[in-house]
Structures are given as structure tokens and as C-alpha cells.
């Protein structure tokens, strides 16, 4: 059934995205997780389907759609069954390329956005540092002004696509006296992979197919035409995309929860214990009832925030609530699904084992639950 704000057109897109993912990506999920890497060609395949540019204008090779088309993709990426692959794709379309689209010069859009939509260049967003995560204003990667550009020194960490990215949209300190940037001393530079840019892969609990990396910048020359947005106004750029990033994460959780509940119901119908299907036991039936109610509640808050967002409101409160209410809920729901699968649920062969690990990042990434509460606390 079509749920507003989606229309027939979005549902058709959903069907085609599902077919593509089921055919081309999902069958490889386990192998990619085991290898801790999904192939770069995935970006080319997605581009071939127009899925890297759903919300971007046709003049850059995009589909000329909007955030609702992108929302469909965010939900359906869960079908890959590999949080890491979904994260790598999500980082490219939801956090690395949007600042180039919104703040880039025409020349930057031709040089980075168009090839990113075509799957020819892979992007990453580099904000977090070893000494500054939630407290973004404390970053210390510094860009010194030199003839024709900047020289960048510093370190970023936990960067999704950090090993494979061809360009890293990087937050740097440009203002002040060399200390941390503060709200008015941060700028963004688009840094090409090249001399002085050194990535080291990090190993993690979940999202294993994605290449999360620390990136060291040592005397990296960045030409002045790679300044993204206004000098010392980088905080605006960070704020501008936070709402979409958080909505995208909420939508990802909604898609994952919906699928998990459906699969768990099917499992509970098939598996028998004490002479009847698991779903024949009231305790399990009640759990399934709770799980569907929780998934539906997550969908309702997320769709409400999404509706407001696409209507042009500034739904900071609703988006923050959606992020807060969906991420831990998703993790807890996956854990309950695993429980219903019993010992099988703990095994590699079952999707539940990976789903629990993958869902654990949600309450940390893209603004942690504590930071969401801080924002809400101030708003109320
Ligand atoms: C797998 C993965 C992928 C990531 N991808 C990217 C990426 O592509 N690009 C990027 O820039 N970053 C990325 N990140 C970084 C992510 O956004 C940060 O990890 C997150 O913002 C939290 O920052 P931190 O890890 O430094 O924790 P900290 O900020 O040090 O926080 C530690 C703990 O303290 C809590 N805390 C912090 N401040 C407060 C406060 N004021 N009140 C109460 N509690 C507080 C936090 O909620 C957290 O629980 C990624 C992280 C991971 C794990």
C-alpha cells in the first residue's frame, strides 16, 4: 500500500530498486562482508541504473528527481543485507556529494558531482578527527594559505569510503590563530587523493564491507579552486546537510526494521518447538506484535519528518526525534529478531547475526543519541 508522502511513481521506483538489489547486490553480501570490502564496480552498476543521482539535476547526469526518490533508495538499501555496502553507497550519495551540489561552483560540479553521479569518482566526507567527533567545532586539521591554494596537515578518522574515495570533502581550520576552528574558523576543501593523503583501514564490529579509514594529510597542496563554499563558513555547510543525513539514517532503519520483522514472522511460522510453530506460542506472538508496532512507529515519525522536510519546512525537531527514535529501536529490534531465531540467529549463515552488529552504529554515527537529546533539550 502506498504511504504518503510516496506516490505511484515512487512505488514504481521502489520495485525497480528492489529488483536490482536482489539481483545484483544481495547475492554477494556475505562474500563482501567476509572480504571487508565491496568492489568499486558497485558504484558503476548503481550509476547505470541512475541510482547515484536520483535527486540531482539532469545537467550533471542526475535523474532530476527529488529527496523522495532518494528516500526510496535509502529504505531499500537494507535489502542488500550488508550494512557496510549500504553505508558506502549512502556516504557517497547522502553526505559526500550533497555539499558539492549545494555549495559547489559550476566548475566543481562538473569536476566532482558529474563523475560521482556517473560512478566514475567515489566521494567521502571527512569531518571527524581523533580529537573531535561530536564536538565538530574542535577540529584541528589545518589549512595554511600559500600561493595558489592551501597546504593541509592533520588527521581524520572513521571516514566511510576513506580508503577508496577519489575525493574527500574535508573540514579544515582556516580561521583564527591556529587553534581549533570554532564555529567561524572552519572551511571545506575538496581534497583529491594523491601525494600526502594516506589512508589506513579500520576494523570494526559491523558495517564490515565498508572501508572505514583514518586519513592522514601531510603537507597536501590543495588548489584554491577546491575551496567549497565560503571561507570560514564551513559550519553552515555542515549544518545544511545534517537534516538530510539524519533522515537518510532514519529511513535506512525503517527499511531494515520492516524487512527484519517480515522475515522473523516467516521464520516463526516455519520453525516448530513443543509440537507447534513458534508463532503458535503466545509469548512469541506477543513479541512479533511488539516488533511490528515498533517498526510501524519508527516509520510514522520518520515519514512525518520526511513530509515536513520535502514541504520545505525546517523540521529540526522532527528530524532529530526521528533519528533518536529509530536508531536504538532498530538495534533492539534486530536483537529481538535474533532471539526469536534461537541458536541459528547467532550463526553467520543467518542474516540476524549481521543485522544486530550493523544496527549498533546507528545510535553513534551522524550525531549520537546523546547529541540528539542535547539538540531536543535546547529546542524544548
Ligand atoms: C563506522 C563509522 C563510520 C563513520 N563515518 C563517518 C564519515 O564518513 N565521516 C565523518 O566525518 N565521520 C564519520 N564517523 C564519525 C561519527 O560521526 C562519530 O563517531 C560520531 O559523531 C561520534 O563522535 P566520537 O566517535 O568522536 O565520539 P565522542 O564525541 O568522543 O563521544 C563519545 C561519547 O560521549 C557522548 N557525548 C559527546 N558529547 C556529549 C555531550 N555534550 N553530552 C552527553 N554526551 C556526549 C557521545 O554521544 C558518545 O556516546 C563514523 C563513525 C563510525 C563509527
Amino acid at each position: 500500500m502506498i504511504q504518503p508522502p510516496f506516490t505511484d511513481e515512487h512505488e514504481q521506483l521502489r520495485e525497480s530498486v528492489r529488483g536490482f538489489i536482489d539481483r545484483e547486490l544481495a547475492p554477494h553480501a556475505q562474500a563482501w562482508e567476509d572480504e571487508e570490502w565491496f568492489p568499486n564496480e558497485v558504484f558503476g552498476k548503481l550509476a547505470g541504473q541512475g541510482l547515484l543521482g536520483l535527486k540531482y539535476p539532469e545537467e550533471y547526469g542526475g535523474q532530476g528527481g527529488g529527496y523522495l526518490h532518494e528516500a526510496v533508495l535509502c529504505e531499500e538499501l537494507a535489502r542488500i543485507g550488508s550494512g557496510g555496502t549500504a553505508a558506502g553507497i549512502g556516504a557517497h550519495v547522502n553526505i559526500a556529494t550533497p555539499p558539492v551540489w549545494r555549495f559547489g561552483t559550476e566548475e566543481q560540479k562538473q569536476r566532482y558531482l558529474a563523475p560521482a553521479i556517473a560512478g566514475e569518482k567515489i566521494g567521502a566526507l571527512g569531518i571527524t578527527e581523533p580529537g573531535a567527533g561530536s564536538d565538530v567545532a574542535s577540529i584541528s586539521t589545518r589549512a595554511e594559505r600559500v600561493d595558489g591554494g592551501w597546504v593541509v596537515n592533520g588527521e581524520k578518522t572513521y571516514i566511510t569510503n576513506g580508503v577508496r574515495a577519489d575525493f574527500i570533502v574535508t573540514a579544515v581550520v582556516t580561521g583564527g590563530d591556529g587553534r581549533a576552528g570554532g564555529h567561524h574558523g572552519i572551511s571545506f576543501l575538496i581534497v583529491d587523493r594523491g601525494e600526502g593523503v594516506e589512508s589506513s583501514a579500520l576494523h570494526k564490529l559491523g558495517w564490515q564491507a565498508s572501508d572505514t579509514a583514518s586519513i592522514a594529510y601531510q603537507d597536501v597542496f590543495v588548489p584554491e579552486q577546491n575551496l567549497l563554499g565560503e571561507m570560514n563558513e564551513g559550519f553552515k555547510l555542515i549544518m545544511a546537510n545534517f537534516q538530510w543525513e539524519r533522515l537518510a539514517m532514519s529511513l535506512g532503519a525503517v527499511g531494515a526494521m520492516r524487512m527484519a520483522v517480515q522475515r522473523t514472522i516467516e521464520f516463526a511460522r516455519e520453525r516448530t518447538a513443543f509440537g507447534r510453530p513458534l508463532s503458535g506460542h503466545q509469548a512469541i506472538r506477543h513479541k512479533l506484535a511488539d516488533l511490528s508496532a515498533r517498526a510501524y512507529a519508527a516509520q510514522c515519525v520518520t515519514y512525518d519528518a520526511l513530509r515536513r522536510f520535502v514541504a520545505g519546512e525546517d523540521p529540526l525537531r522532527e528530524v532529530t526525534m526521528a533519528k533518536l527514535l529509530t536508531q536504538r529501536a532498530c538495534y533492539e529490534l534486530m536483537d529481538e529478531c535474533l532471539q526469536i531465531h534461537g541458536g541459528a540467529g547467532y550463526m553467520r549463515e543467518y542474516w540476524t547475526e549481521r543485522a544486530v552488529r550493523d544496527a549498533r552504529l546507528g545510535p553513534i554515527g551522524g550525531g549520537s543519541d546523546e547529541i540528539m537529546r542535547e539538540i531536543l533539550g535546547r529546542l524544548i
Side-chain angles (χ1 to χ4, degrees), residues 95 125-128 133-134 158-160 207 361 364 366 368 370-371:
I95 60 176
L125 178 71
I127 298 179
T128 306
S134 308
Y158 313 142
I159 307 306
T160 306
W207 282 21
L361 192 269
I364 300 169
S368 67
E370 289 76 15
I371 296 304

Side-chain angles (χ1 to χ4, degrees), residues 55 65-72 98 101-102 241 244 306 309-310:
K55 63 182 176 303
Y67 279 107
L68 286 178
H69 297 88
E70 195 74 67
V72 169
W101 172 42
R102 292 193 56 182
N241 199 48
W244 175 248
L306 178 64
F309 182 82
V310 293

Side-chain angles (χ1 to χ4, degrees), residues 30-256:
Q30 183 69 58
W32 294 343
E33 289 284 313
D34 292 345
E35 288 159 20
E36 296 192 18
W37 182 265
F38 67 90
N40 283 352
E41 296 84 77
V42 166
F43 287 96
K45 285 189 175 179
L46 286 155
Q49 302 290 312
L51 298 178
L52 297 183
L54 287 169
K55 63 182 176 303
Y56 295 134
E58 290 171 16
E59 57 191 298
Y60 304 111
Q63 299 298 303
Y67 279 107
L68 286 178
H69 297 88
E70 195 74 67
V72 169
L73 179 66
C74 292
E75 283 188 311
E76 298 306 325
L77 284 178
R79 289 179 84 82
I80 303 174
S82 158
T85 308
I89 299 165
H92 182 76
V93 297
N94 290 320
I95 60 176
T97 49
V100 183
W101 172 42
R102 292 193 56 182
F103 295 90
T105 60
E106 186 52 35
E107 188 268 335
Q108 287 170 343
K109 288 179 194 170
Q110 295 297 347
R111 207 149 42 96
Y112 295 101
L113 183 61
I117 292 171
E120 291 158 4
K121 276 189 181 175
I122 300 168
L125 178 71
I127 298 179
T128 306
E129 299 186 356
S134 308
D135 183 9
V136 174
S138 295
I139 63 160
S140 61
T141 295
R142 195 157 176 84
E144 299 290 347
R145 197 80 172 93
V146 294
D147 216 17
W150 287 269
V151 170
V152 177
N153 279 289
E155 188 181 350
K156 298 290 171 183
T157 195
Y158 313 142
I159 307 306
T160 306
N161 293 341
V163 173
R164 72 178 86 219
D166 298 295
F167 66 93
I168 306 137
V169 175
T170 306
V172 292
V173 178
T174 41
D177 52 7
R179 288 181 289 112
H183 287 81
H184 297 289
I186 294 175
S187 304
F188 272 84
L189 297 174
I190 308 177
V191 180
D192 288 307
R193 184 165 299 281
E195 209 180 324
V197 179
E198 203 63 56
S199 296
S200 339
L202 299 165
H203 304 282
K204 44 201 189 297
L205 175 73
W207 282 21
Q208 300 208 336
S210 82
D211 55 311
T212 309
S214 281
I215 308 179
Y217 299 73
Q218 198 177 2
D219 294 331
V220 181
F221 175 76
V222 180
E224 63 194 357
Q225 62 267 30
N226 281 27
L227 173 70
L228 183 60
E230 283 175 57
M231 176 94 161
N232 291 332
E233 297 295 332
F235 219 78
K236 281 189 195 156
L237 187 146
I238 295 174
M239 291 300 137
N241 199 48
F242 259 160
Q243 294 211 23
W244 175 248
E245 179 183 357
R246 288 168 186 168
L247 259 177
M249 287 184 71
S250 306
L251 287 158
V254 166

